[in-house]
Amino acid sequence: MLNITFPNQEKRKQILTLSTPIILGMLSINILDLVDTAMIGHLGNKALAATGFGSFIFFTLFSVLIGVSMAVQSVTARRFGEKQLDLCGSPLNTGLLFCTLYAVPISILTILLAPKIISLFSTDPEVIQMGTDYLQWRVVGLLAIGYSLTFRSFWNGIKEPHVYTTILIFTHVLNAALNWTFIFGQFGLPALGLKGAAIGSSLALWIAATVYAIVSYVKKGNEMSVLRIKPTSSIITSIFKISWPASVDQLSFAAFLLSLFWIFGQVGTEAAAVAHVVITCTLLLWLPGIGFGMASLTLVGESLGEKKIKKAKQWPWDVASISGPIILVAGLLLYPFSNWILSCFIHDPSTLTLGLFPLRLDLLTLWTACIGGVFVESLIGAGATRTVMLMKMLIRWIILIPGAYLIGIHLNYG
């Protein structure tokens, strides 16, 4: 029988030890995204809208690679639990191959088709031009982000997330510095505006991928065959079986966000700018929830590798009982500062007022989504990616998108 009471001290220590570095790493991403958004906010509503369109198209493109990275973490954790350390690097090597085969052709196509893609979301010529420039330079980093996600999953799978966290924090600080340099034209360089933000981000991603490869090869090349052995047909099959439902699920999520941004675009440039800012701000709560979920994924996978089925079933409940209250309290603490938070990014009074309600609603409710995220990641750790995919498809495409269009456009609630 499952124990739904608060976990004991030993379990709390395991959960927090594994999740804290992941959460800190993810928060470093979000905090620096907030810094980037604040810098772009000085360029105006059109720049914020163009960045929103470009960013979520880029997210759609690399969402497939998130599914691959989930499979890498799941299989790596299973091998780690089975004490087959010499095989822990094989899922990583396979994941890097998958990333290369996907990202290279997709990047080329996107660069060629970027103007047509952006024009689907906005009719404003200035937004289309800025969004095109931003997307074309962002997609240069598509392969790099795939590599980084795969290395991250490897380090999480072997329960050493502090390695990935350290690299992540360094590269995202570098990202903010590069964006500041290229956006505003520091050190004698020309001010490139929104294009400069994309160039800085892509350059930081390639630096991160290079550092990940060097550190992983040096620290785990001999012990775990990292970057040393070719993928076998069996490991390719294993990664593919787990990754394709997760990749389809992530692609569905990205398409869901793009559909929302299309709806925002129908409301107007101001609404698209608000959506970009609110989503970036609420990631401050959402990403820690995902961090707890990734910790649960590893704990479930390791327990299954050890043949401890009951323990694997218990982990999601233990992690959720810790993560839910933390996210709820954080949202309640941030709620009184909603106006101040938005004013850091939005400088037009009417646009700021438009963003208050959605931000406050998210602050009050995101804790429930984070608990759901823990169980979703745990199911992925158990290999049940198809179940997760079908469940999310139903919620997104039968309930959320039709509801958003009906209420936002048809009923004119914006």
Side-chain angles (χ1 to χ4, degrees):
M1 180 178 290
L2 291 172
N3 179 14
I4 311 181
T5 59
F6 199 67
N8 59 35
Q9 183 177 0
E10 181 182 350
K11 284 191 171 183
R12 293 199 303 271
K13 183 178 179 181
Q14 280 185 274
I15 293 168
L16 294 174
T17 299
L18 186 56
S19 63
T20 299
I22 300 173
I23 292 170
L24 290 176
M26 287 188 158
L27 283 178
S28 78
I29 300 173
N30 183 230
I31 290 169
L32 289 161
D33 279 346
L34 291 171
V35 172
D36 288 348
T37 304
M39 286 190 280
I40 293 168
H42 287 284
L43 303 177
N45 281 348
K46 291 186 177 182
L48 283 171
T51 308
F53 295 137
S55 295
F56 284 100
I57 292 168
F58 181 67
F59 175 70
T60 301
L61 297 176
F62 81 74
S63 62
V64 173
L65 302 177
I66 296 176
V68 173
S69 71
M70 288 177 174
V72 169
Q73 183 170 336
S74 179
V75 177
T76 302
R78 194 76 60 90
R79 298 293 176 268
F80 189 74
E82 293 167 348
K83 304 296 188 289
Q84 298 186 50
L85 299 185
D86 59 319
L87 297 179
C88 285
S90 186
L92 167 65
N93 302 339
T94 306
L96 295 174
L97 174 63
F98 279 24
C99 289
T100 304
L101 294 175
Y102 168 81
V104 172
I106 290 296
S107 298
I108 295 170
L109 282 173
T110 303
I111 290 172
L112 295 175
L113 299 175
K116 293 183 179 179
I117 296 172
I118 295 294
S119 65
L120 296 173
F121 298 89
S122 177
T123 56
D124 187 317
E126 194 173 349
V127 172
I128 292 173
Q129 184 58 55
M130 288 192 292
T132 297
D133 290 340
Y134 183 81
L135 179 59
Q136 286 176 331
W137 280 103
R138 279 294 269 141
V139 82
V140 171
L142 180 62
L143 180 58
I145 198 171
Y147 286 167
S148 296
L149 287 169
T150 307
F151 280 113
R152 180 195 73 179
S153 295
F154 165 75
W155 287 105
N156 286 340
I158 63 172
K159 301 180 74 172
E160 295 186 35
H162 59 279
V163 176
Y164 119 78
T165 302
T166 302
I167 297 172
L168 190 66
I169 292 174
F170 161 73
T171 52
H172 281 285
V173 170
L174 178 63
N175 184 12
L178 290 172
N179 283 8
W180 174 72
T181 299
F182 291 126
I183 290 172
F184 300 113
Q186 306 298 330
F187 309 112
L189 294 172
L192 299 176
L194 197 56
K195 184 190 295 186
I199 293 172
S201 295
S202 291
L203 183 57
L205 284 172
W206 275 109
I207 291 172
T210 303
V211 174
Y212 274 124
I214 294 172
V215 172
S216 301
Y217 182 80
V218 170
K219 293 178 73 70
K220 299 296 180 182
N222 290 325
E223 180 186 5
M224 296 185 175
S225 304
V226 170
L227 302 179
R228 284 183 179 271
I229 59 174
K230 295 180 180 180
T232 62
S233 58
S234 61
I235 193 66
I236 290 174
T237 302
S238 296
I239 295 295
F240 180 76
K241 283 183 177 179
I242 296 176
S243 67
W244 82 259
S247 293
V248 171
D249 168 50
Q250 289 298 318
L251 186 61
S252 169
F253 175 59
F256 158 71
L257 287 178
L258 273 184
S259 298
L260 281 181
F261 260 87
W262 179 84
I263 292 173
F264 300 145
Q266 303 311 298
V267 178
T269 299
E270 189 179 49
V274 165
H276 178 209
V277 171
V278 170
I279 290 173
T280 302
C281 290
T282 51
L283 283 175
L284 194 65
L285 294 181
W286 174 246
L287 289 177
I290 293 298
F292 278 111
M294 292 177 67
S296 187
L297 187 158
T298 297
L299 293 167
V300 168
E302 182 187 20
S303 297
L304 290 174
E306 295 171 341
K307 311 299 181 185
K308 297 178 180 179
I309 308 301
K310 183 178 179 181
K311 187 177 181 181
K313 291 181 178 180
Q314 181 63 44
W315 276 122
W317 297 92
D318 291 335
V319 175
S321 67
I322 291 177
S323 60
I326 290 176
I327 304 302
L328 173 60
V329 170
L332 293 174
L333 291 175
L334 290 172
Y335 186 91
F337 304 101
S338 302
N339 193 81
W340 178 82
I341 292 170
L342 287 179
S343 68
C344 294
F345 311 96
I346 299 173
H347 306 288
D348 179 75
S350 64
T351 307
L352 190 149
T353 301
L354 188 64
L356 280 175
F357 175 75
L359 177 62
R360 287 171 174 169
L361 185 64
D362 278 345
L363 292 176
L364 293 177
T365 60
L366 266 176
W367 66 277
T368 60
C370 290
I371 289 178
V374 168
F375 285 94
V376 164
E377 296 290 332
S378 301
L379 284 168
I380 293 170
T385 49
R386 187 177 300 181
T387 301
V388 171
M389 177 190 70
L390 293 174
M391 177 184 66
K392 289 184 175 181
M393 288 279 196
L394 174 67
I395 293 171
R396 289 168 186 157
W397 299 107
I398 303 300
I399 300 173
L400 294 181
I401 288 298
Y405 183 83
L406 175 66
I407 298 171
I409 304 297
H410 185 70
L411 299 180
N412 201 33
Y413 279 91

